[in-house]
Amino acid sequence: MSYIKKNLFNLVIIIFGFTSVLFINNKADNILDINSNDIKTMPDNVFNKVKYIAMNNDGDPLYTISSPHMKQFFDNEVIEANKPNILLFRKNKPPTKIVSDFGSIAYKRQNIKLTGNVQMYFQEEIKDPFLKLNTEEIYIYLKEQLAVTDLQVFIKKNNSYLNGIGMKSSLTKGEFILFEETRGKHAN
């Protein structure tokens, strides 16, 4: 009889221990449930009313970014800028000006992502009228001097215009290629 009591007592202890582990594990899951949107990465540096100048190895400016508020993150080598005003410099050509609501600049990889009311002002020669490009998002690949978007694009120069969806542009050659639903009007 004592053998049965002993085994029954051991069985109760095992069941109690098992349910305790399940209860604690379930409670821990509820406590540790973290929504990734709640995690805020802190910037390494925060700047107000700043101008960032990127230069090549010879000391020539590649581009400048002016912003009322900028954050720098060392770990992923990114600068986030509110209302960036960017000038992209090209050899022996007028600079290309780009403004938007928000910019993310991967300065080591020399890539820029601009979002929200993106406006690009391009001139091939100083005497030429501005070509104005509007879109909601654009990627600038600085090494290749390319501007790319998958979204709606509207380009205007004088009384001529071109619009469509998706674009690839060579900033050195001044070529703008629209991919889909392209429409436009050319006026002399």
Side-chain angles (χ1 to χ4, degrees), residues 103-130:
S104 179
I105 301 95
Y107 51 91
K108 293 276 179 129
R109 295 183 299 279
Q110 295 188 9
N111 298 330
I112 299 173
K113 177 185 177 185
L114 300 169
T115 57
N117 193 27
V118 179
Q119 298 173 32
M120 180 187 294
Y121 302 90
F122 180 86
Q123 277 182 307
E124 186 59 32
E125 301 292 332
I126 289 178
K127 65 184 182 325
D128 292 345
F130 278 101

Side-chain angles (χ1 to χ4, degrees), residues 42-109:
M42 294 296 296
D44 296 296
N45 292 304
V46 177
F47 306 99
N48 291 317
K49 297 180 184 174
V50 68
K51 185 172 191 174
Y52 175 83
I53 303 171
M55 298 186 170
N56 65 16
N57 292 335
D58 297 329
D60 299 323
L62 296 172
Y63 61 94
T64 64
I65 302 171
S66 300
S67 172
H69 187 75
M70 204 180 275
K71 299 176 191 174
Q72 181 183 26
F73 299 87
F74 284 133
D75 286 345
N76 58 4
E77 299 172 335
V78 168
I79 294 173
E80 292 180 352
N82 292 338
K83 302 284 185 192
N85 184 334
I86 300 172
L87 287 178
L88 302 175
F89 297 103
R90 302 175 295 149
K91 191 171 190 164
N92 301 320
K93 304 267 184 181
T96 300
K97 180 179 177 177
I98 309 171
V99 295
S100 70
D101 290 337
F102 183 79
S104 179
I105 301 95
Y107 51 91
K108 293 276 179 129
R109 295 183 299 279

Side-chain angles (χ1 to χ4, degrees), residues 7-29:
N7 283 339
L8 187 59
F9 180 74
N10 286 340
L11 182 63
V12 169
I13 289 176
I14 291 172
I15 291 172
F16 177 77
F18 182 75
T19 53
S20 296
V21 168
L22 286 176
F23 177 77
I24 291 170
N25 191 29
N26 188 33
K27 195 74 166 164
D29 282 346

